[in-house]
Amino acid sequence: MISKAIPLPSLTGFSERNGNWYAEDIALADLAREFGTPLYVYSKSALSKAYQAYDKACVDKQGKRRARIHYAMKANSNLAVINCFKELGAGFDLVSGGELARALAIGADPKSLVFAGVGKSAKEIAEALKAGVKCINVESIAELHKINRVATELGLRAPISLRVNPDVDAQTHPYISTGLKGNKFGIAYHEVLKTYREASQLAQIDVVGIDCHIGSQITTTAPYLDALDKVLDLVAQLKKEGIVIHHLDLGGGLGISYSDETPPDITDFTDTLLNRVAERGFGHLDVVLEPGRSLVGNAGVLLTTVEYLKPGAEKNFCIVDAAMTELMRPALYEAHHGIVPVQAKQAKALTYDVVGPVCESGDWLGRDRHLAVEEGDLLAILSAGAYGFVMASNYNTRPKPAEIIVDGKNAYVIRARENTSDLFASEAVLPK
Ligand SMILES: *Cc1c(COP(=O)(O)O)cnc(C)c1O
């Protein structure tokens, strides 16, 4: 079968020189030799550059800050990664008590934390209130009452936003679309005003903002503008009723290029949104953006070793030591990741499905890839910095891979490879 060449994303931090792939100044082959595979490799400069592009776009020509960045850490929550963003000035978007604990572990300012998620438990709400987070984004009327109850028990006030479900189509994969009325996220558009009225009457609740997040891997600005207009209509109505909103959280979701996608330029994107906010007379609001994928997605690769080549009547399989357990996106969303040989070879190129060792037919990493590879070769799976390691599992009793960050000529282990024995250390057999 002849497959057409699929373009690779353009990357910063990773490059090919004379057939050899590098992370900054270190050959990926050297990293694989030193740290083993499968291995997640991130580039510090790629993280920083992605952040700085956003940060620059959030400041106007006079140097006035127009928006704040709260990195959505579910995309990649390694302490070293989130600490890099903290040092660059980011706040964080959290979706669990576990992520709150990570933010506190690196000494993030609680006032830079926003807590979202459809199913926050009373325990998680209490932890967030005790920590003193900037805002809890409320996703249902029942949750609003639970927050009020927990805050009453603790004798604390609860700063909240309502997460609006604006019912706009983000034109992305159905599993990562969150702003349609059939999605589980947010408060239905027609119930938002009534819920704000209710919130403003609750003893321990402080209404501070409004929020929406319409999905992920969005590659056009139009759905954001649709959502923004609908949210601003609500803010205007609330103002008439004397309910004052201080911040406007527009969520994350901006896409990246995995192959030939062309997401909007960050500056054009933020200008379009922030100009609309100003034009409609809401320039005084603090705007919050919550990018995840677009800060880390193209700042990481997954290195893997070819275990076997298995030619077949219908398909040739390239069986590698990484699997859906390391990178679940292909199995979960049929996501595409560029796959390149780490060192160019003279081997005969064939079309392969690149698959892992896990006992599932859904365990594949790339389909119909034209690759010149031999057993023992290294492959780099590109654009694996977001929703990669964080979705890793121990299925088939597979230890999770190590993660490293490359900074120039230096490589740092930021998470050690798991040991097999660790995986069942907390299990026990029944007594005799
Ligand atoms: C996941 C998520 C984000 C980040 O989405 P990306 O597509 O990674 O930018 C932002 N805000 C909320 C509430 C989220 O759930």
Side-chain angles (χ1 to χ4, degrees), residues 28 73 78 124 294 309 365 371 392:
L28 292 181
M73 75 159 76
N78 184 288
E124 289 175 312
S294 50
L309 296 177
L365 297 166
L371 294 168

Side-chain angles (χ1 to χ4, degrees), residues 20-42:
N20 295 310
W21 275 82
Y22 284 75
E24 303 198 14
D25 300 327
I26 309 184
L28 292 181
D30 290 342
L31 294 172
R33 204 171 304 121
E34 185 169 352
F35 301 104
T37 60
L39 180 72
Y40 271 100
V41 181
Y42 309 120

Side-chain angles (χ1 to χ4, degrees), residues 204-329:
Q204 300 303 113
I205 298 284
D206 289 329
V207 169
V208 295
I210 192 162
D211 167 60
C212 78
H213 170 73
I214 56 174
S216 199
Q217 188 50 18
I218 303 168
T219 51
T220 61
T221 310
Y224 282 98
L225 276 179
D226 292 348
L228 175 61
D229 277 328
K230 292 183 88 169
V231 168
L232 291 177
D233 290 346
L234 295 172
V235 180
Q237 187 59 35
L238 289 169
K239 191 172 162 208
K240 274 193 210 147
E241 299 187 19
I243 297 174
V244 182
I245 299 292
H246 304 286
H247 77 253
L248 169 64
D249 182 339
L250 299 177
L254 196 63
I256 62 167
S257 171
Y258 285 97
S259 58
D260 54 2
E261 301 91 333
T262 50
D265 168 78
I266 303 285
T267 309
D268 293 344
F269 172 75
T270 50
D271 277 351
T272 306
L273 295 184
L274 296 172
N275 291 344
R276 179 68 64 96
V277 173
E279 279 159 24
R280 292 203 44 188
F282 295 104
H284 59 284
L285 294 178
D286 281 333
V287 177
V288 171
L289 301 175
E290 300 174 340
R293 186 191 311 271
S294 50
L295 288 177
V296 290
N298 270 328
V301 303
L302 173 60
L303 285 186
T304 184
T305 303
V306 177
E307 297 279 16
Y308 301 102
L309 296 177
K310 185 174 175 180
E314 277 192 25
K315 285 263 178 186
N316 301 312
F317 292 103
C318 172
I319 304 172
V320 297
D321 67 355
M324 64 188 288
T325 43
E326 281 70 30
L327 181 65
M328 189 157 68
R329 299 188 67 260

Side-chain angles (χ1 to χ4, degrees), residues 73 79 82 92 94 97-110 113 127-128 130-133:
M73 75 159 76
L79 293 190
I82 61 177
F92 297 99
L94 317 171
E99 291 189 351
L100 171 64
R102 283 181 181 272
L104 298 177
I106 59 157
D109 176 2
L113 306 177
E127 285 164 358
K130 282 191 246 170
V133 300

